[in-house]
Amino acid sequence: MTTLLLVEDDASLARTLRVSLGAHGYEVHVAPTGAEALARAAADPPGVAIVDLGLPDVDGVEVVRALRDASEVPVIVLSARTTQDDKVLALDAGADDYVTKPFGIEELLARLRAALRRAQPSERLAVVSTGGLVVDRQARRVERHGQTVHLTPTEWNVLEVLLRSPGDLVTQRDLLREVWGPQYARETNYLRVYVGQLRRKLEDDASSPRHILTEPGVGYRFVV
Amino acid sequence: MTTLLLVEDDASLARTLRVSLGAHGYEVHVAPTGAEALARAAADPPGVAIVDLGLPDVDGVEVVRALRDASEVPVIVLSARTTQDDKVLALDAGADDYVTKPFGIEELLARLRAALRRAQPSERLAVVSTGGLVVDRQARRVERHGQTVHLTPTEWNVLEVLLRSPGDLVTQRDLLREVWGPQYARETNYLRVYVGQLRRKLEDDASSPRHILTEPGVGYRFVV
DNA sequence: GGAGGGCGTCAAGGTTTCGTCAAGACGCGC
DNA sequence: GCGCGTCTTGACGAAACCTTGACGCCCTCC
């Protein structure tokens, strides 16, 4: 049973959600204020948190930030505000997802499942390797012919996304969204630059890559 | 010296691996059949096992399962088959990693290290030594070229966290949380100051560190 | 054959982050 | 109250990184 911390000052909405989420297998704890939420989270770390941004005492975004600073708990934000800026603020503070009111319970449940799925160590294999190339995700280390190669954060992120499903195609759009965020979904420039850098660091012959392959017009794939 | 049980029926490959792995500090015992492997493992539990799935007498997956049922030994599987199903079967049986042939010795060594590291996360090494540096965690003592080095409490705490998983990257956030507490998760200043002090005390040349390495934008790692 | 789009490469510029230093604050023992 | 070691804080140049645009190549379609 997953414990869920619901930070919600509207008692009526809180009750509704407690019942609905409880019926779907979550153990729901309600905190009506930001202060209470942080105290609860510290005492009994939840598996996932839902934060309503319209709190009375403090800015909800600060609650999100504090929650994420203190732990790895996935956070879903509820808000009546729909502007891009609000979303960016919340997501930058560490929120995993952003749900605008009004919303359906099914939507919330789906996002909860997605957030929990992402929070889990995605792959069972900590190490992916193929002829001379070793990628140790736990250690965040890459070796090529026995020597460690240094990757920048963005390079690593790109590689990490590709490695989540070795052999499968990852669309440009997905890659950009995962690494740079949703608003960069059409900046394919970035991919050209970073895929090129990865190839130069990982492939024996970057001009005829054997691992990071291009699917023109669609995306890239990492083949083992 | 780690004892390694190699379950391999191909005599030529077994010989090659025995030499290579032996040269890298493993005491290799070869078992050409599944039955022999289990008998050997029962008599003298190995630190890690490598199982080739192409065995003559029984299904290699069953050997993996039996090994894991009997002990906590980490198991790495060798196989010529690369399909997703094969991997899932082996991993479900309890294998820790899956290496497809052909593979390089460096790759296998990297996976062995990773498997061993994962297998004993809690059983921390009491003493870590490298070059002229000796760190005794139990005694809270650090020696460099034979002379004790005095560390302040905070310096020690930082070093201690880094040493929990030598070679692994520790994110800035994790370090700050472990040493200063959750509410300091973004005070990266502290890390810059204390990592610098540690380098001055522990490294031969603090301006080009060989042990405490920076991963810009991400964190630090202690390499042995 | 030409035009256009997608890709790979490169390097300059701007931005972020790092390492270092030192001054001040703090706590502790005397 | 005083001295000592330690921790915190802010500032600065240096290094690493990211972004951006330009260019040439290949392929496809006209």
Short mmCIF file of all heavy atoms in Angstrom, two decimals, chain A residues 65 68-72 124-132 134 136 138-141 143 145-146 150-151 153, chain B residues 91-92 96-98 106-107 110-111 113-114 117-118 167-169 173-174 177 182 185-186 215-218 221:
data_model
loop_
_atom_site.label_atom_id
_atom_site.label_comp_id
_atom_site.label_asym_id
_atom_site.label_seq_id
_atom_site.Cartn_x
_atom_site.Cartn_y
_atom_site.Cartn_z
N ARG A 65 9.16 22.59 -3.24
CA ARG A 65 10.62 22.67 -3.19
C ARG A 65 11.15 22.01 -1.93
O ARG A 65 12.11 21.23 -1.98
CB ARG A 65 11.07 24.13 -3.25
CG ARG A 65 12.53 24.29 -3.65
CD ARG A 65 12.99 25.72 -3.50
NE ARG A 65 12.15 26.67 -4.21
CZ ARG A 65 12.22 26.89 -5.52
NH1 ARG A 65 13.09 26.24 -6.23
NH2 ARG A 65 11.42 27.76 -6.09
N ARG A 68 10.87 18.22 -2.10
CA ARG A 68 11.85 17.60 -2.99
C ARG A 68 13.26 17.75 -2.48
O ARG A 68 14.12 16.91 -2.74
CB ARG A 68 11.73 18.20 -4.39
CG ARG A 68 10.50 17.77 -5.12
CD ARG A 68 10.39 16.26 -5.11
NE ARG A 68 11.57 15.65 -5.67
CZ ARG A 68 11.63 15.12 -6.88
NH1 ARG A 68 10.58 15.07 -7.61
NH2 ARG A 68 12.75 14.60 -7.31
N ASP A 69 13.52 18.84 -1.77
CA ASP A 69 14.85 18.99 -1.19
C ASP A 69 15.11 17.92 -0.15
O ASP A 69 16.21 17.43 0.01
CB ASP A 69 15.00 20.38 -0.56
CG ASP A 69 15.28 21.42 -1.63
OD1 ASP A 69 15.50 21.03 -2.78
OD2 ASP A 69 15.26 22.62 -1.30
N ALA A 70 14.05 17.59 0.56
CA ALA A 70 14.23 16.68 1.69
C ALA A 70 14.21 15.22 1.28
O ALA A 70 14.71 14.37 2.00
CB ALA A 70 13.15 16.93 2.74
N SER A 71 13.67 14.92 0.11
CA SER A 71 13.56 13.51 -0.25
C SER A 71 13.38 13.37 -1.75
O SER A 71 13.38 14.34 -2.49
CB SER A 71 12.38 12.86 0.47
OG SER A 71 11.18 13.36 -0.08
N GLU A 72 13.18 12.15 -2.17
CA GLU A 72 13.01 11.89 -3.59
C GLU A 72 11.55 11.68 -3.95
O GLU A 72 11.23 11.22 -5.03
CB GLU A 72 13.80 10.63 -3.98
CG GLU A 72 15.28 10.70 -3.73
CD GLU A 72 15.95 11.70 -4.65
OE1 GLU A 72 15.35 12.08 -5.66
OE2 GLU A 72 17.08 12.12 -4.33
N ARG A 124 16.10 -2.84 -14.68
CA ARG A 124 16.66 -3.81 -13.74
C ARG A 124 18.16 -3.90 -13.92
O ARG A 124 18.87 -4.21 -12.99
CB ARG A 124 16.03 -5.16 -13.99
CG ARG A 124 14.53 -5.08 -14.05
CD ARG A 124 13.97 -6.39 -14.50
NE ARG A 124 14.17 -7.43 -13.49
CZ ARG A 124 13.65 -8.63 -13.62
NH1 ARG A 124 12.95 -8.93 -14.67
NH2 ARG A 124 13.84 -9.53 -12.70
N LEU A 125 18.59 -3.66 -15.12
CA LEU A 125 20.02 -3.78 -15.35
C LEU A 125 20.72 -2.49 -14.98
O LEU A 125 20.47 -1.45 -15.56
CB LEU A 125 20.29 -4.09 -16.82
CG LEU A 125 19.89 -5.49 -17.25
CD1 LEU A 125 20.19 -5.68 -18.72
CD2 LEU A 125 20.63 -6.50 -16.42
N ALA A 126 21.59 -2.61 -14.00
CA ALA A 126 22.35 -1.42 -13.62
C ALA A 126 23.45 -1.18 -14.64
O ALA A 126 23.90 -0.07 -14.83
CB ALA A 126 22.96 -1.61 -12.23
N VAL A 127 23.85 -2.23 -15.31
CA VAL A 127 24.95 -2.12 -16.24
C VAL A 127 24.49 -2.56 -17.62
O VAL A 127 23.88 -3.60 -17.77
CB VAL A 127 26.14 -3.00 -15.80
CG1 VAL A 127 27.29 -2.84 -16.77
CG2 VAL A 127 26.56 -2.64 -14.40
N VAL A 128 24.76 -1.75 -18.58
CA VAL A 128 24.51 -2.13 -19.96
C VAL A 128 25.85 -2.14 -20.65
O VAL A 128 26.62 -1.20 -20.52
CB VAL A 128 23.57 -1.13 -20.65
CG1 VAL A 128 23.40 -1.48 -22.10
CG2 VAL A 128 22.24 -1.09 -19.94
N SER A 129 26.13 -3.20 -21.36
CA SER A 129 27.43 -3.21 -22.00
C SER A 129 27.37 -3.94 -23.32
O SER A 129 26.50 -4.76 -23.56
CB SER A 129 28.46 -3.87 -21.10
OG SER A 129 28.17 -5.24 -21.01
N THR A 130 28.30 -3.62 -24.15
CA THR A 130 28.37 -4.20 -25.48
C THR A 130 29.73 -3.90 -26.04
O THR A 130 30.18 -2.77 -26.01
CB THR A 130 27.29 -3.59 -26.38
OG1 THR A 130 27.68 -3.78 -27.73
CG2 THR A 130 27.16 -2.11 -26.15
N GLY A 131 30.38 -4.94 -26.47
CA GLY A 131 31.71 -4.85 -27.03
C GLY A 131 32.51 -3.61 -26.66
O GLY A 131 32.37 -2.59 -27.27
N GLY A 132 33.30 -3.69 -25.62
CA GLY A 132 34.18 -2.59 -25.30
C GLY A 132 33.52 -1.42 -24.60
O GLY A 132 34.20 -0.56 -24.06
N VAL A 134 30.92 -0.04 -21.65
CA VAL A 134 30.22 -0.39 -20.42
C VAL A 134 29.58 0.85 -19.83
O VAL A 134 30.25 1.85 -19.61
CB VAL A 134 31.19 -0.99 -19.38
CG1 VAL A 134 30.43 -1.39 -18.13
CG2 VAL A 134 31.93 -2.17 -19.96
N ASP A 136 27.54 1.97 -16.57
CA ASP A 136 27.09 1.62 -15.23
C ASP A 136 26.22 2.75 -14.73
O ASP A 136 26.69 3.81 -14.37
CB ASP A 136 28.31 1.42 -14.32
CG ASP A 136 27.91 0.86 -12.96
OD1 ASP A 136 26.79 1.15 -12.51
OD2 ASP A 136 28.72 0.15 -12.35
N GLN A 138 24.25 2.95 -12.05
CA GLN A 138 24.30 3.24 -10.62
C GLN A 138 25.49 4.13 -10.30
O GLN A 138 25.36 5.11 -9.57
CB GLN A 138 24.40 1.95 -9.83
CG GLN A 138 24.52 2.17 -8.35
CD GLN A 138 24.66 0.87 -7.60
OE1 GLN A 138 24.15 -0.15 -8.01
NE2 GLN A 138 25.38 0.90 -6.50
N ALA A 139 26.61 3.80 -10.87
CA ALA A 139 27.81 4.58 -10.59
C ALA A 139 27.87 5.82 -11.47
O ALA A 139 28.72 6.68 -11.28
CB ALA A 139 29.05 3.73 -10.79
N ARG A 140 27.00 5.87 -12.45
CA ARG A 140 27.00 6.95 -13.41
C ARG A 140 28.37 7.01 -14.09
O ARG A 140 29.01 8.07 -14.13
CB ARG A 140 26.73 8.29 -12.70
CG ARG A 140 26.06 9.32 -13.60
CD ARG A 140 25.80 10.57 -12.81
NE ARG A 140 24.63 11.29 -13.26
CZ ARG A 140 24.65 12.23 -14.20
NH1 ARG A 140 25.77 12.51 -14.81
NH2 ARG A 140 23.57 12.86 -14.53
N ARG A 141 28.76 5.84 -14.57
CA ARG A 141 30.09 5.74 -15.15
C ARG A 141 30.03 5.09 -16.51
O ARG A 141 29.26 4.15 -16.74
CB ARG A 141 30.97 4.87 -14.25
CG ARG A 141 32.15 5.58 -13.65
CD ARG A 141 32.75 4.71 -12.57
NE ARG A 141 33.16 3.42 -13.09
CZ ARG A 141 34.33 3.23 -13.71
NH1 ARG A 141 35.15 4.22 -13.87
NH2 ARG A 141 34.65 2.04 -14.15
N GLU A 143 32.55 3.36 -19.46
CA GLU A 143 33.89 2.88 -19.81
C GLU A 143 33.91 2.50 -21.27
O GLU A 143 32.96 1.93 -21.79
CB GLU A 143 34.23 1.64 -18.98
CG GLU A 143 35.00 1.91 -17.73
CD GLU A 143 35.38 0.59 -17.06
OE1 GLU A 143 35.55 -0.41 -17.77
OE2 GLU A 143 35.48 0.59 -15.83
N HIS A 145 36.66 0.48 -23.73
CA HIS A 145 37.92 -0.24 -23.77
C HIS A 145 38.66 -0.10 -22.45
O HIS A 145 39.87 0.08 -22.41
CB HIS A 145 38.79 0.25 -24.92
CG HIS A 145 38.13 0.09 -26.26
ND1 HIS A 145 37.47 -1.04 -26.61
CD2 HIS A 145 38.02 0.94 -27.29
CE1 HIS A 145 36.98 -0.90 -27.84
NE2 HIS A 145 37.29 0.30 -28.26
N GLY A 146 37.92 -0.14 -21.37
CA GLY A 146 38.54 -0.12 -20.06
C GLY A 146 38.83 1.25 -19.49
O GLY A 146 39.13 1.38 -18.31
N HIS A 150 34.42 10.65 -19.80
CA HIS A 150 33.64 11.63 -19.05
C HIS A 150 32.49 12.15 -19.90
O HIS A 150 32.69 12.56 -21.04
CB HIS A 150 34.54 12.78 -18.62
CG HIS A 150 33.79 13.89 -17.96
ND1 HIS A 150 33.45 13.85 -16.63
CD2 HIS A 150 33.29 15.04 -18.44
CE1 HIS A 150 32.79 14.94 -16.34
NE2 HIS A 150 32.67 15.68 -17.41
N LEU A 151 31.30 12.12 -19.32
CA LEU A 151 30.14 12.68 -20.00
C LEU A 151 29.63 13.89 -19.22
O LEU A 151 29.61 13.87 -17.99
CB LEU A 151 29.01 11.65 -20.09
CG LEU A 151 29.29 10.38 -20.89
CD1 LEU A 151 28.01 9.56 -21.00
CD2 LEU A 151 29.82 10.70 -22.26
N PRO A 153 26.57 16.43 -17.97
CA PRO A 153 25.22 16.06 -17.50
C PRO A 153 24.24 15.84 -18.63
O PRO A 153 23.50 14.84 -18.63
CB PRO A 153 24.83 17.28 -16.66
CG PRO A 153 26.10 17.85 -16.18
CD PRO A 153 27.10 17.61 -17.27
N LEU B 91 16.81 -13.18 -15.48
CA LEU B 91 16.73 -12.21 -14.39
C LEU B 91 15.68 -12.63 -13.37
O LEU B 91 15.88 -12.46 -12.17
CB LEU B 91 16.42 -10.82 -14.96
CG LEU B 91 17.55 -10.24 -15.81
CD1 LEU B 91 17.09 -8.97 -16.51
CD2 LEU B 91 18.78 -9.95 -14.96
N ASP B 92 14.59 -13.18 -13.88
CA ASP B 92 13.56 -13.63 -12.95
C ASP B 92 14.06 -14.78 -12.09
O ASP B 92 13.65 -14.94 -10.95
CB ASP B 92 12.31 -14.07 -13.72
CG ASP B 92 11.47 -12.87 -14.13
OD1 ASP B 92 11.72 -11.77 -13.57
OD2 ASP B 92 10.59 -13.01 -14.98
N ASP B 96 21.81 -11.49 -11.66
CA ASP B 96 22.03 -10.07 -11.41
C ASP B 96 22.35 -9.31 -12.68
O ASP B 96 22.15 -8.11 -12.77
CB ASP B 96 23.17 -9.86 -10.41
CG ASP B 96 22.79 -10.37 -9.04
OD1 ASP B 96 22.83 -11.59 -8.85
OD2 ASP B 96 22.42 -9.54 -8.20
N ASP B 97 22.87 -10.03 -13.63
CA ASP B 97 23.25 -9.35 -14.87
C ASP B 97 23.30 -10.37 -15.98
O ASP B 97 23.31 -11.57 -15.75
CB ASP B 97 24.62 -8.67 -14.67
CG ASP B 97 24.74 -7.44 -15.55
OD1 ASP B 97 23.98 -7.32 -16.52
OD2 ASP B 97 25.60 -6.60 -15.24
N TYR B 98 23.34 -9.85 -17.18
CA TYR B 98 23.18 -10.71 -18.35
C TYR B 98 24.14 -10.23 -19.42
O TYR B 98 24.03 -9.09 -19.88
CB TYR B 98 21.73 -10.59 -18.84
CG TYR B 98 21.31 -11.60 -19.87
CD1 TYR B 98 20.57 -12.71 -19.50
CD2 TYR B 98 21.62 -11.43 -21.20
CE1 TYR B 98 20.16 -13.63 -20.45
CE2 TYR B 98 21.22 -12.35 -22.15
CZ TYR B 98 20.48 -13.45 -21.76
OH TYR B 98 20.08 -14.35 -22.69
N GLU B 106 37.05 -6.85 -20.53
CA GLU B 106 36.85 -5.62 -19.77
C GLU B 106 35.39 -5.46 -19.36
O GLU B 106 35.07 -5.03 -18.25
CB GLU B 106 37.28 -4.40 -20.60
CG GLU B 106 38.78 -4.26 -20.76
CD GLU B 106 39.48 -4.13 -19.41
OE1 GLU B 106 38.83 -3.68 -18.45
OE2 GLU B 106 40.66 -4.49 -19.31
N GLU B 107 34.55 -5.80 -20.29
CA GLU B 107 33.13 -5.72 -20.01
C GLU B 107 32.73 -6.65 -18.88
O GLU B 107 32.02 -6.27 -17.95
CB GLU B 107 32.39 -6.09 -21.30
CG GLU B 107 30.90 -6.13 -21.14
CD GLU B 107 30.24 -6.53 -22.46
OE1 GLU B 107 30.90 -6.41 -23.50
OE2 GLU B 107 29.08 -6.95 -22.42
N ALA B 110 33.96 -5.32 -15.59
CA ALA B 110 33.16 -4.20 -15.10
C ALA B 110 31.88 -4.71 -14.47
O ALA B 110 31.44 -4.23 -13.42
CB ALA B 110 32.85 -3.24 -16.25
N ARG B 111 31.30 -5.71 -15.09
CA ARG B 111 30.04 -6.23 -14.54
C ARG B 111 30.28 -6.98 -13.24
O ARG B 111 29.44 -6.97 -12.34
CB ARG B 111 29.39 -7.14 -15.56
CG ARG B 111 28.91 -6.36 -16.77
CD ARG B 111 28.00 -7.19 -17.60
NE ARG B 111 27.66 -6.50 -18.83
CZ ARG B 111 26.40 -6.32 -19.21
NH1 ARG B 111 25.42 -6.74 -18.46
NH2 ARG B 111 26.14 -5.70 -20.34
N ARG B 113 32.59 -6.25 -11.07
CA ARG B 113 32.75 -5.21 -10.04
C ARG B 113 31.40 -4.67 -9.62
O ARG B 113 31.12 -4.50 -8.44
CB ARG B 113 33.63 -4.07 -10.57
CG ARG B 113 35.10 -4.41 -10.66
CD ARG B 113 35.92 -3.13 -10.85
NE ARG B 113 35.61 -2.43 -12.08
CZ ARG B 113 36.20 -2.69 -13.25
NH1 ARG B 113 37.12 -3.64 -13.34
NH2 ARG B 113 35.88 -2.00 -14.32
N ALA B 114 30.56 -4.39 -10.61
CA ALA B 114 29.25 -3.82 -10.30
C ALA B 114 28.41 -4.80 -9.48
O ALA B 114 27.76 -4.41 -8.51
CB ALA B 114 28.52 -3.45 -11.59
N ARG B 117 29.73 -4.97 -6.01
CA ARG B 117 29.44 -3.74 -5.26
C ARG B 117 28.00 -3.73 -4.78
O ARG B 117 27.70 -3.41 -3.65
CB ARG B 117 29.72 -2.54 -6.17
CG ARG B 117 29.37 -1.24 -5.55
CD ARG B 117 30.14 -0.09 -6.18
NE ARG B 117 30.62 -0.34 -7.52
CZ ARG B 117 29.90 -0.16 -8.61
NH1 ARG B 117 28.65 0.22 -8.52
NH2 ARG B 117 30.43 -0.38 -9.79
N ARG B 118 27.10 -4.16 -5.68
CA ARG B 118 25.70 -4.17 -5.29
C ARG B 118 25.42 -5.20 -4.21
O ARG B 118 24.54 -5.03 -3.39
CB ARG B 118 24.83 -4.47 -6.51
CG ARG B 118 24.64 -3.28 -7.41
CD ARG B 118 23.48 -3.53 -8.34
NE ARG B 118 23.69 -4.68 -9.19
CZ ARG B 118 24.39 -4.63 -10.32
NH1 ARG B 118 24.92 -3.51 -10.70
NH2 ARG B 118 24.54 -5.71 -11.06
N GLY B 167 33.90 4.95 -6.15
CA GLY B 167 33.74 4.86 -7.59
C GLY B 167 32.39 5.36 -8.06
O GLY B 167 32.25 5.78 -9.21
N ASP B 168 31.39 5.29 -7.19
CA ASP B 168 30.06 5.75 -7.59
C ASP B 168 29.97 7.26 -7.46
O ASP B 168 30.59 7.87 -6.61
CB ASP B 168 28.98 5.12 -6.70
CG ASP B 168 28.73 3.68 -7.07
OD1 ASP B 168 29.54 3.14 -7.85
OD2 ASP B 168 27.76 3.11 -6.58
N LEU B 169 29.13 7.81 -8.28
CA LEU B 169 28.87 9.23 -8.17
C LEU B 169 27.91 9.49 -7.01
O LEU B 169 26.94 8.78 -6.84
CB LEU B 169 28.26 9.77 -9.44
CG LEU B 169 28.01 11.27 -9.34
CD1 LEU B 169 29.03 11.99 -10.18
CD2 LEU B 169 26.63 11.63 -9.74
N ARG B 173 23.19 16.89 -4.01
CA ARG B 173 22.03 16.90 -3.14
C ARG B 173 22.13 15.82 -2.07
O ARG B 173 21.86 16.08 -0.89
CB ARG B 173 20.80 16.67 -4.01
CG ARG B 173 19.55 16.57 -3.26
CD ARG B 173 18.51 16.08 -4.21
NE ARG B 173 17.75 17.17 -4.75
CZ ARG B 173 16.45 17.06 -5.04
NH1 ARG B 173 15.85 15.92 -4.89
NH2 ARG B 173 15.82 18.08 -5.52
N ASP B 174 22.51 14.63 -2.47
CA ASP B 174 22.65 13.55 -1.49
C ASP B 174 23.71 13.88 -0.46
O ASP B 174 23.53 13.66 0.74
CB ASP B 174 23.00 12.24 -2.20
CG ASP B 174 21.78 11.64 -2.89
OD1 ASP B 174 20.67 12.11 -2.62
OD2 ASP B 174 21.96 10.71 -3.69
N ARG B 177 22.42 16.50 1.90
CA ARG B 177 21.40 15.95 2.78
C ARG B 177 22.01 15.08 3.85
O ARG B 177 21.61 15.13 5.01
CB ARG B 177 20.41 15.14 1.97
CG ARG B 177 19.39 15.98 1.27
CD ARG B 177 18.08 15.24 1.18
NE ARG B 177 18.20 14.07 0.34
CZ ARG B 177 17.54 13.90 -0.80
NH1 ARG B 177 16.73 14.84 -1.20
NH2 ARG B 177 17.67 12.82 -1.50
N PRO B 182 18.45 17.82 5.28
CA PRO B 182 17.62 18.04 4.09
C PRO B 182 17.48 19.50 3.71
O PRO B 182 17.45 19.84 2.52
CB PRO B 182 16.26 17.48 4.51
CG PRO B 182 16.53 16.57 5.65
CD PRO B 182 17.76 17.08 6.33
N ALA B 185 19.86 21.20 1.08
CA ALA B 185 20.08 20.45 -0.15
C ALA B 185 20.57 21.31 -1.32
O ALA B 185 21.05 20.78 -2.30
CB ALA B 185 18.81 19.71 -0.56
N ARG B 186 20.45 22.62 -1.23
CA ARG B 186 20.94 23.41 -2.37
C ARG B 186 22.09 24.33 -2.01
O ARG B 186 22.43 25.24 -2.76
CB ARG B 186 19.78 24.19 -2.99
CG ARG B 186 18.87 24.86 -2.01
CD ARG B 186 17.65 25.46 -2.70
NE ARG B 186 16.72 24.44 -3.16
CZ ARG B 186 16.39 24.27 -4.44
NH1 ARG B 186 16.90 25.02 -5.36
NH2 ARG B 186 15.54 23.33 -4.78
N GLU B 215 32.14 16.01 -10.80
CA GLU B 215 31.28 15.80 -11.96
C GLU B 215 30.44 17.07 -12.06
O GLU B 215 29.44 17.21 -11.38
CB GLU B 215 30.39 14.62 -11.68
CG GLU B 215 30.15 13.57 -12.72
CD GLU B 215 31.29 12.97 -13.45
OE1 GLU B 215 31.98 12.12 -12.87
OE2 GLU B 215 31.46 13.31 -14.62
N PRO B 216 30.90 18.03 -12.85
CA PRO B 216 30.29 19.36 -12.82
C PRO B 216 28.78 19.32 -13.02
O PRO B 216 28.28 18.66 -13.91
CB PRO B 216 30.96 20.09 -13.99
CG PRO B 216 32.25 19.38 -14.17
CD PRO B 216 31.99 17.95 -13.82
N GLY B 217 28.11 20.02 -12.15
CA GLY B 217 26.66 20.10 -12.23
C GLY B 217 25.95 18.92 -11.62
O GLY B 217 24.73 18.91 -11.54
N VAL B 218 26.68 17.91 -11.20
CA VAL B 218 26.03 16.71 -10.71
C VAL B 218 26.47 16.34 -9.30
O VAL B 218 25.66 16.26 -8.39
CB VAL B 218 26.30 15.52 -11.65
CG1 VAL B 218 25.40 14.37 -11.27
CG2 VAL B 218 26.09 15.92 -13.08
N ARG B 221 32.73 12.11 -6.77
CA ARG B 221 32.95 10.70 -6.55
C ARG B 221 34.36 10.48 -6.02
O ARG B 221 35.26 11.24 -6.32
CB ARG B 221 32.72 9.89 -7.82
CG ARG B 221 33.80 10.03 -8.85
CD ARG B 221 33.57 9.08 -10.00
NE ARG B 221 32.62 9.59 -10.97
CZ ARG B 221 31.64 8.86 -11.49
NH1 ARG B 221 31.48 7.62 -11.12
NH2 ARG B 221 30.81 9.38 -12.37
#
